[in-house]
Amino acid sequence: MPSRDRIFARIRHNLGRGPVKEDAANLLRARIEGHVPHTIPKRTDISHKEQVDLFQVKAEALDATVTRISNMEDVPEALRDYLTAHNLPSRIKMAPDPALDTLPFDKTPMLEILRGAAAPEDEVSLTPAFSGIAETGTLCLASGPETPSTLNFLPENHVVVIKASQISGTMEESWARLRKKFGAGNLPRTINFISGPSRTGDIEQTLIMGAHGPRRVHILIVDDGPQD
Amino acid sequence: MQVTSRRFKEGAHDALHDKNIQEAFSKVKSGFPLARAKSASELPEFEGLRDEARDLKNHILENLDYYLEYFEEQVQLQGGRVHWCSSYAEAREVVLHICRDANAKTVTKGKSMITEEMGLNDYLSEHGIEPIETDLGEYIIQLADEHPSHIIAPALHKTKDQVTELFHANHAKYGLNERLTDPQALVNEARSVLRDKYVAADVGITGANFLIAETGSTVIVTNEGNGDLTQSLPKTHIAVSSIEKVVPTLEDAGLFLRLLARSATGQEMSVYTTFSTGPKRMEDIDGPANFHVVLVDSGRSDLLGSDKQDLLRCLKCGACMNHCPVYQAVGGHTYGWVYPGPIGAALNPHMVGLEEARHLPNASTFCGRCEEVCPVRIPLPKIMRHWREQAFETQVTPKPERWGIGVWAYFAKRPKLYRLMTRISARTLKLMAGKKGVIRKLPLMKGWSSVRDFPAPEGATFMDQWKKQQREGK
Amino acid sequence: MSASSEKKNVALFVTCLVDLNRPSVGFAAIKLLEAAGCTIMVPETQTCCGQIAYNSGDKESAKTIAKAVIRAFEGFDYVVAPSGSCAGMIRHHYKELFEGDDTMMVAVEALSSRTYELTSFLHDVCGYKSEDVRMDTTLTYHDSCSSLREMKVRDQPRALLDGVDGLELKEAEDREACCGFGGTFCLKYSEISSAMVDTKIDNLLASGADTLAAGDLGCLMNIAGRLKRRGSDMKVLHVAEILAGMGDRPGLGEGDS
């Protein structure tokens, strides 16, 4: 008997039944398609403005840094200021996202902007976020032709642009956004929930930053108004 | 891996006399538990979420076949392949086969307990493929040719000095000759060495914290980002998972995610929670071209419907061992197989046999701290007790122990004889103590008197004194 | 409901360790229960709760012993034990012993729901408060695992001790950690047990208290025995002894004065 059959036979035998009957299967399918959330922590039950503030507080508590800017046009200068302040290289690998392409990088001629997936020599990446989760200060990044996920991990410094309108309370709201964009049951190849910079406690339980992923995560929140 | 659970007592003795192990594991009690307590207290819904998580896992287990089939279908729809494996041997072969198809010379690995169970690294090495562990802790113990001593902090037993020596001995071949002692410098060096490995690897192997039926995704949760580099840079991504990791929906994963990191390290979320679905899409400019999910049963399905089914709820967070005073005293390796601590004490007898792992469920005071912190409320002491019952019934329990219990029970069932026995015992012990108040040597209870004095009884039993008082009208 | 007009009819479950090793704890319990307005009976056919057999895997013996306990303690309003461990066995584990046995279950439920650990019974059920008791000492309290986790006893003994004049409570670090007793565990795995009790003792001593109290004699004998072996003179008493004004008697492991 092939292993697949053997495993299913054992599961059913030990559960004392045959395959799930049609009625029950319909209920289970409906459960999957219903996307019913479990208890949602009350901490996100606040106004959108407060959620954006909470997102910032939580992200900073995770050792990410945050700068608030008032519109997308300010991204190049905010990026430059961040890199200068931390004495970081000005060569940037940027996600080939049309939304970032339109940014006025002519205002910051010292920044060298390259587009594409990450290569081992890249030290700074700039990517858009898909959404943000106020509950935990977590960024949600979705892979795609315009948002290669290696940019989230290979460079030591990861700068993420997120609009305030992309921030909502919970992970569940990010699922809803993803389903809206990609269709229920479909996800891009990689969804990265990122909560601060990389770290490890594997040497004598001492916390060390920058284990394999970025040492620094800097978030530019664009205050574009209310939630989408 | 080789099972050494039979040596539990000897291993415990060695561990208790090993300064490094004592220092490392005594640190556990101040670190993880305090962090967990803090983050739990900051989420008022925490206890309720634990109930929901327990109930959801039970629902999943009752419908495991349905959700697994649904998951399989979705993986295939997304262009991935699912491989079903009854045994470790089969799973090892499947992984090797995929690696060979990819012409793999080296494979990078994210942390995965199921591949520890399978003994995958040795198997791949024997067949000419070099596995490289990328989680820093796993990397350290791979260099040391050891096994994890903790399920989320595998190199917990290693001191910084030992890491210094390991890196010094193993990194010279990369032209790195400095003897580093600063933890940050050690991490940096490992980072740079492993960088090249990620890029060079032909296959990346990860485990899975969850499998999402709804979307056919596999989920990994890490703090280092090694798992992500492991699975996004090579051409082929293999996710190896045991079958009970499936959850129905993304929302269901959300419930467990609110508990997992809090229970493990006290974080609200681990740094990286990654959902991987199928291979890279046509237009994607990075990501693996091939996606395989290797599903391993190897004993899981046999737990269904048994008095130990609750074990299948385990999220592998490590909270039980973080809070276990026995684990803190003897460390992880003493348990002699992949899973240490209370979850190992309850699970390993099933996986490696009760005779082999007899000590594990016995070496517990039933203090109950593990159950108290388990995010999915696995009744670990109860399951350990079931093993003790099974050991007693099948004569696995050693004869002297059975005899001792038998004698005690014989008297306990016969109140009059019992009174006589306790009367004599109380007097004898009192006589042995004399005026000292303690007895220093108890020939029949060496386990007691080898390390403690025995506080002497008052002389007359309570029952005798009480009856006397009653007779004398108080 | 303290000292209500109708006296509570309480059966004392003495426990095997108190019976054999420290009867004064039993008398202290009786004194306290009487002061709290209860009428006390001590059923004569009691031996032990069966936990040793149960935890050793000998379920059949445990059942036989449990049946005897159930018979011996029929018909009382309450059953009280100066031990969270024995009370926990009766209250929670008897049900597991007779799972599926509907006839036994009725009797089991009747007993288990009426069974209490001493300090929680005094505090929660009787509304008892310590009065006119004095003990000039600094004291640290060890939470036994069964009391704490099975019987949810944590604040009750402390509230009662708070009413003892001259007594100052000094909490130890990691006070919810097990002392390493664990019934036969301390005999079978004595090396591990001794490491655990040493950790416990280090914390107890670091509290700076002169006296240690707890609600379970198993833990107390383990800790006192190790304290004596280490040459410490920390005084060890059952909480009932202190509350009953018997704190001046020799502690566990102390010779006749």
Side-chain angles (χ1 to χ4, degrees):
Chain A
M1 199 197 290
S3 279
R4 187 185 187 284
D5 297 348
R6 223 176 321 155
I7 293 169
F8 278 90
R10 262 201 307 258
I11 291 174
R12 287 167 184 151
H13 175 261
N14 289 331
L15 289 173
R17 59 167 173 74
V20 174
K21 296 220 170 63
E22 202 185 324
D23 290 0
N26 288 339
L27 287 175
L28 295 175
R29 180 170 292 272
R31 190 190 180 286
I32 290 177
E33 288 165 358
H35 313 135
V36 180
H38 297 271
T39 296
I40 301 294
K42 288 223 164 44
R43 73 161 71 145
T44 60
D45 196 5
I46 47 181
S47 73
H48 180 251
K49 190 184 160 304
E50 289 167 318
Q51 285 180 341
V52 177
D53 293 343
L54 178 62
F55 174 84
Q56 177 173 354
V57 168
K58 286 286 179 186
E60 286 171 345
L62 296 167
D63 294 306
T65 50
V66 177
T67 302
R68 306 275 284 252
I69 53 181
S70 47
N71 57 61
M72 284 296 281
E73 281 74 56
D74 298 339
V75 168
E77 284 165 296
L79 175 62
R80 178 201 60 202
D81 294 348
Y82 173 74
L83 297 177
T84 312
H86 292 84
N87 205 17
L88 294 172
S90 55
R91 183 180 171 281
I92 289 136
K93 186 63 79 67
M94 188 173 83
D97 180 350
L100 298 181
D101 276 339
T102 60
L103 296 178
F105 280 107
D106 50 336
K107 283 200 244 171
T108 53
M110 66 293 290
L111 297 183
E112 185 191 348
I113 307 290
L114 296 96
R115 289 166 179 75
E121 64 275 13
D122 296 332
E123 292 187 57
V124 181
S125 64
L126 177 68
T127 74
F130 179 80
S131 59
I133 300 167
E135 182 185 346
T136 49
T138 300
L139 292 160
C140 173
L141 278 69
S143 71
E146 293 153 2
T147 49
S149 62
T150 46
L151 288 175
N152 310 339
F153 294 96
L154 265 180
E156 289 207 2
N157 308 284
H158 185 198
V159 181
V160 185
V161 181
I162 185 168
K163 295 177 191 163
S165 58
Q166 291 174 300
I167 296 172
S168 41
T170 63
M171 177 178 275
E172 284 76 0
E173 287 162 278
S174 284
W175 296 136
R177 283 171 193 260
L178 283 160
R179 287 192 185 108
K180 201 167 151 195
K181 177 155 183 197
F182 298 98
N186 284 308
L187 286 178
R189 155 65 198 171
T190 306
I191 296 293
N192 295 124
F193 289 102
I194 299 178
S195 309
S198 162
R199 66 199 65 191
T200 183
D202 275 347
I203 299 178
E204 292 191 353
Q205 301 170 61
T206 315
L207 185 68
I208 304 289
M209 304 302 285
H212 293 280
R215 262 176 232 288
R216 295 188 189 81
V217 171
H218 185 62
I219 305 171
L220 300 174
I221 301 178
V222 184
D223 280 314
D224 65 338
Q227 202 172 342
D228 283 352
Chain B
M1 70 180 266
Q2 206 197 336
V3 188
T4 57
S5 304
R6 250 176 234 276
R7 286 193 71 255
F8 181 84
K9 272 194 169 178
E10 293 84 348
H13 174 86
D14 296 346
L16 286 165
H17 291 86
D18 184 316
K19 205 175 121 268
N20 288 341
I21 289 182
Q22 287 307 305
E23 207 177 298
F25 287 90
S26 67
K27 251 191 208 173
V28 172
K29 51 178 160 274
S30 51
F32 292 131
L34 291 181
R36 177 199 173 273
K38 182 168 182 287
S39 80
S41 72
E42 287 167 0
L43 185 68
E45 294 86 356
F46 189 72
E47 294 304 316
L49 290 170
R50 289 175 65 192
D51 292 335
E52 285 178 56
R54 173 200 57 208
D55 297 347
L56 173 56
K57 275 283 177 188
N58 287 343
H59 165 83
I60 293 166
L61 294 173
E62 289 303 321
N63 300 284
L64 188 60
D65 50 339
Y66 181 85
Y67 288 125
L68 283 170
E69 279 189 311
Y70 200 106
F71 171 76
E72 177 187 39
E73 206 176 302
Q74 296 307 308
V75 173
Q76 289 164 349
L77 274 175
Q78 301 291 349
R81 282 198 58 191
V82 176
H83 309 262
W84 300 89
C85 307
S86 277
S87 66
Y88 296 144
E90 207 180 336
R92 288 191 296 255
E93 275 169 42
V94 165
V95 172
L96 177 66
H97 191 79
I98 299 169
C99 291
R100 287 204 164 138
D101 276 355
N103 289 318
K105 287 185 193 62
T106 64
V107 305
T108 42
K109 280 189 69 210
K111 219 182 83 53
S112 141
M113 294 313 291
I114 185 73
T115 59
E116 290 286 343
E117 288 183 42
M118 287 158 54
L120 183 61
N121 287 1
D122 287 346
Y123 185 79
L124 290 177
S125 300
E126 283 160 21
H127 290 81
I129 293 168
E130 188 196 355
I132 299 150
E133 293 286 353
T134 61
D135 170 85
L136 182 63
E138 290 281 352
Y139 177 67
I140 291 167
I141 58 168
Q142 190 181 27
L143 293 181
D145 196 20
E146 291 176 4
H147 292 286
S149 56
H150 187 287
I151 63 171
I152 66 159
L156 195 70
H157 59 288
K158 286 301 206 201
T159 63
K160 179 172 66 70
D161 293 345
Q162 290 172 321
V163 177
T164 295
E165 294 314 313
L166 277 172
F167 281 13
H168 186 67
N170 286 278
H171 289 171
K173 58 176 178 258
Y174 308 117
L176 302 163
N177 293 307
E178 203 182 333
R179 196 184 291 270
L180 301 169
T181 53
D182 172 48
Q184 180 74 59
L186 287 164
V187 171
N188 292 353
E189 185 167 290
R191 178 186 171 105
S192 75
V193 168
L194 287 168
R195 268 298 128 137
D196 299 336
K197 306 285 186 190
Y198 292 123
V199 179
D202 308 290
V203 173
I205 301 175
T206 67
N209 290 83
F210 307 103
L211 311 167
I212 313 291
E214 176 191 0
T215 55
S217 313
T218 64
V219 184
I220 58 168
V221 178
T222 75
N223 278 315
E224 297 183 1
N226 64 303
D228 291 280
L229 290 166
T230 296
Q231 66 166 46
S232 59
L233 292 172
K235 276 210 185 77
T236 299
H237 173 202
I238 307 174
V240 188
S241 172
S242 49
I243 54 173
E244 81 283 8
K245 297 279 183 108
V246 70
V247 306
T249 67
L250 297 168
E251 279 73 10
D252 293 328
L255 169 62
F256 295 126
L257 287 171
R258 285 197 174 91
L259 296 168
L260 179 60
R262 283 184 173 90
S263 300
T265 58
Q267 292 166 286
E268 294 196 336
M269 285 277 282
S270 298
V271 176
Y272 303 111
T273 303
T274 300
F275 289 66
S276 305
T277 312
K280 74 171 189 175
R281 305 302 145 81
M282 202 81 97
E283 310 79 25
D284 283 354
I285 55 174
D286 62 8
N290 309 297
F291 178 55
H292 297 267
V293 182
V294 177
L295 292 177
V296 188
D297 180 354
S298 192
R300 263 78 177 176
S301 59
D302 290 334
L303 286 169
L304 287 170
S306 78
D307 57 359
K308 301 170 191 89
Q309 173 175 313
D310 294 343
L311 288 169
L312 294 174
R313 294 205 295 260
C314 180
L315 302 180
K316 308 275 154 49
C317 71
C320 60
M321 57 199 76
N322 292 341
H323 291 76
C324 176
V326 175
Y327 175 84
Q328 287 163 6
V330 304
H333 288 156
T334 303
Y335 290 80
W337 195 62
V338 178
Y339 298 101
I343 186 64
L347 179 67
N348 296 3
H350 175 73
M351 304 303 279
V352 305
L354 179 55
E355 201 146 336
E356 175 68 50
R358 176 186 78 78
H359 280 300
L360 273 44
N362 275 291
S364 160
T365 62
F366 285 160
C367 82
R369 228 174 180 183
C370 48
E371 182 175 0
E372 188 179 49
V373 297
C374 174
V376 286
R377 302 197 191 279
I378 300 173
L380 290 156
K382 184 176 171 179
I383 293 168
M384 288 182 227
R385 191 183 286 108
H386 286 322
W387 284 120
R388 295 184 189 185
E389 284 162 9
Q390 204 163 312
F392 196 88
E393 279 161 23
T394 57
Q395 320 275 326
V396 169
T397 308
K399 278 210 179 92
E401 208 179 309
R402 300 172 62 85
W403 183 81
I405 294 301
V407 170
W408 174 259
Y410 179 87
F411 286 104
K413 291 172 197 168
R414 294 166 178 79
K416 278 187 185 146
L417 266 181
Y418 182 89
R419 295 277 161 265
L420 187 66
M421 186 267 289
T422 49
R423 185 175 303 143
I424 294 167
S425 304
R427 277 188 202 157
T428 312
L429 289 166
K430 170 74 180 162
L431 273 173
M432 284 169 75
K435 286 197 177 306
K436 286 197 305 287
V438 294
I439 301 155
R440 300 190 72 91
K441 266 193 188 159
L442 283 170
L444 290 174
M445 286 213 299
K446 281 201 188 119
W448 182 284
S449 61
S450 61
V451 292
R452 316 165 191 79
D453 291 349
F454 188 85
E458 291 171 6
T461 65
F462 174 87
M463 280 304 193
D464 284 351
Q465 294 186 45
W466 172 252
K467 273 187 237 167
K468 189 160 170 254
Q469 280 190 15
Q470 296 294 298
R471 275 198 307 272
E472 291 163 5
K474 285 204 177 174
Chain C
M1 66 188 279
S2 78
S4 63
S5 51
E6 266 185 60
K7 284 203 161 191
K8 295 180 185 67
N9 203 359
V10 171
L12 183 71
F13 187 86
V14 179
T15 80
C16 57
L17 288 180
V18 167
D19 179 44
L20 180 81
N21 199 272
R22 206 159 166 89
S24 57
V25 174
F27 290 107
I30 289 172
K31 190 173 165 191
L32 288 164
L33 289 165
E34 283 179 343
C38 305
T39 309
I40 314 301
M41 290 293 293
V42 183
E44 273 190 35
T45 53
Q46 61 178 300
T47 58
C48 97
C49 64
Q51 189 176 174
I52 295 183
Y54 186 49
N55 284 352
S56 299
D58 185 358
K59 206 171 172 179
E60 285 315 307
S61 294
K63 276 169 124 169
T64 311
I65 297 167
K67 279 181 186 165
V69 171
I70 292 166
R71 264 196 311 276
F73 286 85
E74 251 168 7
F76 297 96
D77 297 341
Y78 298 98
V79 175
V80 176
S83 158
S85 177
C86 310
M89 176 71 192
I90 298 171
R91 193 170 182 109
H92 299 295
H93 296 295
Y94 278 15
K95 288 177 206 162
E96 294 165 7
L97 276 176
F98 296 102
E99 227 170 74
D101 184 342
D102 292 345
T103 31
M104 268 315 288
M105 209 48 118
V106 180
V108 169
E109 298 267 358
L111 175 63
S112 64
S113 59
R114 293 179 287 117
T115 301
Y116 288 82
E117 180 277 338
L118 177 66
T119 60
S120 57
F121 181 76
L122 289 170
H123 184 270
D124 300 343
V125 181
C126 304
Y128 178 76
K129 287 188 176 60
S130 309
E131 270 167 38
D132 301 325
V133 186
R134 182 160 197 98
M135 184 174 175
D136 291 299
T137 191
T138 50
L139 180 132
T140 191
Y141 194 82
H142 165 66
D143 293 287
S144 83
C145 298
S146 317
S147 290
L148 185 69
R149 283 178 269 269
E150 283 188 351
M151 301 303 284
K152 311 293 170 209
V153 177
R154 181 206 312 255
D155 299 332
Q156 300 93 327
R158 291 178 171 81
L160 295 173
L161 287 166
D162 194 43
V164 176
D165 298 327
L167 187 146
E168 183 197 345
L169 188 66
K170 289 187 166 184
E171 297 287 7
E173 278 291 303
D174 211 10
R175 66 182 212 218
E176 298 189 358
C178 177
C179 72
F181 174 62
T184 56
F185 172 86
C186 71
L187 306 176
K188 288 187 286 187
Y189 301 95
S190 58
E191 269 196 292
I192 304 173
S193 172
S194 96
M196 288 163 68
V197 73
D198 273 341
T199 307
K200 171 57 66 179
I201 285 174
D202 291 343
N203 284 323
L204 295 173
L205 294 175
S207 74
D210 301 323
T211 307
L212 165 71
D216 274 89
L217 203 51
C219 312
L220 288 171
M221 288 174 66
N222 176 43
I223 298 171
R226 184 66 186 169
L227 275 169
K228 289 291 165 238
R229 182 63 58 93
R230 282 172 52 159
S232 162
D233 59 359
M234 184 177 238
K235 184 166 182 168
V236 180
L237 291 168
H238 191 284
V239 64
E241 296 174 299
I242 296 172
L243 296 174
M246 294 154 67
D248 56 349
R249 63 188 313 282
L252 273 84
E254 282 174 37
D256 302 332
S257 40

